[in-house]
Amino acid sequence: MQRRRQGEAGFDERVITRRNLFHGVAGAALVCSLDGPSALLSGQRTSAGLRAQATKRLAPFQTDLPIPPVLEPVSTSGGVDRYEITMRAGDQQILEGETTEILGYEGMFPGPTIKAKKGRRVEVTQINDLGEDAVVHLHGAVTPPQFDGHPDDVIPPGEEFTYEYPNKQRGATLWYHEHGHGFTAKGVYEGRAAMYLLEDKEERKLDLPRGRYDVPLMIADRNFDVDNQFLYPGTFPIDGVLGNSILVNGAVSPRMRVERRLYRLRLLNASNARTYELALSHGESMTQIAADSGGLLPKPYKRRVITLCPAERADVIIDFRNFTPGSELVLRNRAGESESTRKVMRFDVVRGGKETARVPKRLRDPVLMPAVVGERTFDLTLDTDPELEWQINGLGFDHDRIDADPSLGTTERWHWVNSSDSMHPMHTHLAHFKVESVGNRLLHPADMAMKDTVAVPPNETATVRVLFAGYPGRYVFHCHALEHGDRNMMAQMQVSS
Ligand code: C2O
Ligand code: CU
Ligand code: CU
């Protein structure tokens, strides 16, 4: 099958026109389109193909949950862990007996996990063998600007770049992914997403589940074409690309054998645009212990439903001791629109071992923020004239423009005013924030801890208190519905020292 490469499909050309904005659908769902016959063709192939193949190969709970390999450093001398990653094509078996081409880190999806320790620097040399530009961003990390993966800082094909991560922040579940402007969505979809688990001493002291009982779960939806390849559609809803299969660690709705003990599951929503409402079957609760880049919460919270918008993370503990061997617990997505998008994965309980892990009553001191010194308001809108563009304060991304100029070490109150009919998961680089309010909603305390991404619902306002800590320099903030970010819902801040 002929894969469409970045460039061929004209992804960075201005391809969304008013004409095809309303493509094919009478007033109802707004649809974006990549111009050109190939895009339309592939759009048709999707539905025909998926109809033809609504068969066993996409059935849930058929495959065991894969665990992405943990990357071995190439050297650990001088207090630095050095890694090398080649971004390249690779064949992966996702659907039984078939291979799917990945353009990923080491040719895998998810890419290899990096395990880092607070206070120990990590250097990752990313070698670009993709045949197209790439940028790597470590989401949730506090890094000097030249290593943040600003969309301008592309690694051209055939070249490499070494990112340096100081790891001075608290332990947290981070992830690295594609960040080139105009091709982040397609790049992530093709496979460029992986976990980066940062651990610190305080966390190490707690008796939380570890080793094989500490499991990253990268959740991402995909469509497959008739040739079993990821299908990045030519036409898609205005809210971004949604897949009709849910993949966890690269497997379609997998099953995981669990012992009767505690597990720490690190949930990451790595989907381009889909929001999940995760809940266990039988109304069982999960205990949330960490969120986003803030890492451990002050204390654990039992929750029946955890909502994750694109890029959000939640670490949860599930206690499988309450279940008899043979029990099957399904992790459901209550927000799914179909059978397949409602089934995330299944836990199959087997006998227990002796449990030594526990969930402490207190996890860690909250982050204290200095008093607010300023406020900024960002209006989130859709402009369709002359072409579709998502905007922040009436403007699309411009790398020559600075949209905010906070000072290092200060706190500001930011209002994201969503004046559109779409949800925008807003994300800040470098700076983390606490959510103060989202419309008039009652916020769960776990959602008010230190975060880096927050869902701003249609026609509501989210107010956050942002702490600018770390390094001075130029960083982006943007909508993490990846198609929105690519279509210019991105702005820049210049943090001054
Ligand atoms: Cu997860 Cu600017 O990205
Ligand atoms: Cu980020
Ligand atoms: Cu958006």
Side-chain angles (χ1 to χ4, degrees):
M1 185 230 153
Q2 258 261 275
R3 290 193 58 267
R4 270 205 333 264
R5 294 258 165 187
Q6 152 73 13
E8 277 174 49
F11 204 77
D12 37 13
E13 290 157 31
R14 312 304 307 286
V15 287
I16 297 157
T17 64
R18 208 177 157 71
R19 170 176 52 83
N20 52 29
L21 181 63
F22 299 100
H23 173 86
V25 185
L30 221 45
V31 169
C32 302
S33 169
L34 295 175
D35 241 344
S38 64
L40 292 176
L41 267 179
S42 64
Q44 280 158 15
R45 241 191 342 248
T46 326
S47 41
L50 291 166
R51 258 199 313 279
Q53 304 224 358
T55 54
K56 182 166 159 263
R57 58 171 210 153
L58 293 171
F61 317 138
Q62 302 299 302
T63 341
D64 290 321
L65 175 81
I67 307 290
V70 174
L71 199 60
E72 288 289 328
V74 291
S75 117
T76 57
S77 60
V80 180
D81 295 335
R82 291 186 191 78
Y83 295 93
E84 267 176 31
I85 294 177
T86 304
M87 295 182 270
R88 59 173 175 84
D91 283 329
Q92 189 158 324
Q93 201 210 298
I94 296 179
L95 305 176
E96 212 190 302
E98 307 288 348
T99 56
T100 302
E101 194 191 355
I102 301 298
L103 286 179
Y105 304 112
E106 294 297 319
M108 296 186 291
F109 174 67
T113 300
I114 293 178
K115 286 199 173 173
K117 288 199 168 63
K118 182 177 174 181
R120 225 185 128 75
R121 195 162 84 219
V122 160
E123 295 182 6
V124 184
T125 300
Q126 290 278 3
I127 303 153
N128 184 357
D129 253 344
L130 294 167
E132 59 193 42
D133 284 349
V135 178
V136 184
H137 167 58
L138 181 55
H139 182 121
V142 179
T143 73
Q146 66 272 32
F147 304 121
D148 187 54
H150 187 283
D152 277 355
D153 300 333
V154 297
I155 310 172
E159 297 191 18
E160 60 179 59
F161 183 77
T162 300
Y163 294 89
E164 297 182 18
Y165 303 129
N167 296 321
K168 291 188 178 148
Q169 65 200 97
R170 292 181 166 204
T173 301
L174 311 179
W175 61 301
Y176 58 104
H177 64 80
E178 178 55 55
H179 213 286
H181 189 59
F183 56 94
T184 294
K186 192 153 174 288
V188 169
Y189 201 92
E190 290 170 336
R192 287 195 297 291
M195 311 287 297
Y196 184 105
L197 310 179
L198 177 58
E199 191 189 55
D200 61 26
K201 280 210 197 87
E202 292 89 317
E203 181 171 352
R204 186 92 203 154
K205 277 191 228 140
L206 304 174
D207 299 321
L208 293 167
R210 59 177 98 251
R212 61 198 180 95
Y213 307 108
D214 175 355
V215 181
L217 298 176
M218 179 191 285
I219 306 174
D221 55 342
R222 292 290 184 272
N223 288 312
F224 291 89
D225 69 10
V226 286
D227 301 308
N228 306 298
Q229 304 306 305
F230 285 160
L231 183 106
Y232 190 78
T235 59
F236 48 81
I238 193 105
D239 287 337
V241 169
L242 299 177
N244 50 16
S245 294
I246 307 299
L247 278 61
V248 183
N249 293 350
V252 176
S253 302
R255 60 178 181 222
M256 178 190 179
R257 213 155 276 158
V258 292
E259 296 169 29
R260 293 178 70 191
R261 54 196 305 160
L262 304 182
Y263 279 76
R264 174 181 188 165
L265 304 172
R266 300 176 187 248
L267 303 166
L268 156 67
N269 180 0
S271 306
N272 282 30
R274 180 181 291 281
T275 294
Y276 299 82
E277 285 175 31
L278 299 169
L280 288 170
S281 52
H282 309 28
E284 284 302 321
S285 56
M286 303 173 260
T287 303
Q288 188 176 353
I289 57 164
D292 279 11
S293 49
L296 290 179
L297 302 169
K299 62 185 195 102
Y301 292 98
K302 279 204 168 194
R303 306 183 75 175
R304 284 193 199 284
V305 182
I306 291 178
T307 301
L308 290 182
C309 73
E312 276 188 307
R313 287 89 73 209
D315 290 17
V316 299
I317 305 274
I318 302 185
D319 189 347
F320 292 106
R321 285 175 304 186
N322 306 333
F323 301 93
T324 51
S327 310
E328 296 173 345
L329 270 92
V330 176
L331 183 65
R332 293 183 195 284
N333 168 28
R334 298 199 322 181
E337 71 281 7
S338 61
E339 255 321 282
S340 63
T341 55
R342 276 192 286 271
K343 290 176 179 149
V344 178
M345 64 180 292
R346 192 179 73 194
F347 301 103
D348 296 353
V349 182
V350 299
R351 328 133 279 98
K354 187 172 163 297
E355 186 53 278
T356 49
R358 60 189 191 96
V359 189
K361 292 225 157 33
R362 297 173 60 82
L363 292 166
R364 122 146 77 195
D365 292 338
V367 175
L368 299 174
M369 289 179 141
V372 170
V373 295
E375 303 212 17
R376 293 176 209 269
T377 299
F378 300 100
D379 208 17
L380 311 176
T381 53
L382 172 64
D383 187 19
T384 53
D385 194 15
E387 326 178 290
L388 182 147
E389 182 177 80
W390 292 99
Q391 299 179 331
I392 299 178
N393 283 349
L395 297 167
F397 179 58
D398 178 350
H399 64 164
D400 291 325
R401 192 188 66 235
I402 297 298
D403 304 275
D405 55 351
S407 304
L408 195 65
T410 67
T411 307
E412 295 187 0
R413 182 170 284 117
W414 282 20
H415 306 278
W416 278 307
V417 181
N418 188 347
S419 310
S420 78
D421 296 327
S422 299
M423 190 276 280
H424 301 296
M426 296 306 294
H427 166 55
T428 47
H429 284 216
L430 177 81
H432 304 153
F433 53 76
K434 286 185 184 174
V435 180
E436 286 190 333
S437 64
V438 178
N440 304 322
R441 287 156 198 258
L442 196 62
L443 291 178
H444 189 284
D447 297 330
M448 297 171 81
M450 216 58 180
K451 292 175 55 58
D452 58 51
T453 308
V454 64
V456 190
N459 300 300
E460 290 188 50
T461 296
T463 297
V464 300
R465 251 183 314 144
V466 198
L467 174 58
F468 300 91
Y471 306 89
R474 185 181 56 138
Y475 296 88
V476 294
F477 56 101
H478 59 92
C479 177
H480 220 288
L482 298 180
E483 284 76 18
H484 289 181
D486 277 347
R487 283 165 184 75
N488 296 340
M489 194 166 230
M490 177 156 341
Q492 293 189 115
M493 57 186 174
Q494 179 75 43
V495 181
S496 61
S497 50

